[in-house]
Amino acid sequence: VQLQASGGGLVQPGGSLRLSCAASGFTLAYTTIGWFRQAPGKEREWVLGMRRNDGRTYYTDSVKGRFTISKDNAKNTVYLQMNDLKPEDTAVYYCASGDRIIMSTMTRLSAYDYWGQGTLVTVSS
């Protein structure tokens, strides 16, 4: 069972990146998916998620309108499209998955069973 995150890099403010998170050993579509990030010197924080039952998406306020989560069930992969990136978006981004997550726990790190290794996003001019 594994999650493999990729797609990070250096981008200028206002630019875009798309992160990928590929699953192996289990079916992502049967789980709730979350993206988290950890900026230097800060705690890991929840950014957005997709609920397993109906695919409904949820976003933290700071990324609403800029970030979008989507998935390709055929590829067993979830994506994080990030637009209008800001320097404060600089962080290591992690994907995570869990099959027993309820609404009230979606933002909690401890609710997730599987984690990707993280991919670094740097927003700088």
Side-chain angles (χ1 to χ4, degrees), residues 10-23:
L10 173 64
V11 62
Q12 292 186 342
S16 298
L17 275 177
R18 190 178 78 159
L19 307 183
S20 299
C21 178

Side-chain angles (χ1 to χ4, degrees), residues 55-75:
R56 184 173 178 179
T57 56
Y58 301 85
Y59 300 85
T60 194
D61 287 345
S62 63
V63 307
K64 283 181 181 177
R66 302 190 298 122
F67 290 13
T68 304
I69 184 172
S70 62
K71 62 181 178 179
D72 185 331
N73 291 336
K75 295 183 178 180

Side-chain angles (χ1 to χ4, degrees), residues 36 44-46 96 105-113 115:
F36 292 75
R44 194 173 301 186
E45 63 175 359
W46 175 83
T105 63
M106 180 178 282
T107 63
R108 299 179 189 174
L109 278 70
S110 60
Y112 293 82
D113 301 310
W115 288 83

Side-chain angles (χ1 to χ4, degrees), residues 1-6 20-24 26 28 33-36 38 44 78 92-98 112-119:
V1 174
Q2 189 177 15
L3 287 173
Q4 183 74 33
S6 61
S20 299
C21 178
S24 58
F26 70 103
L28 265 179
I33 300 157
W35 282 95
F36 292 75
Q38 187 166 15
R44 194 173 301 186
V78 64
V92 177
Y93 283 73
Y94 300 87
C95 57
S97 174
Y112 293 82
D113 301 310
Y114 308 118
W115 288 83
Q117 83 284 9
T119 184

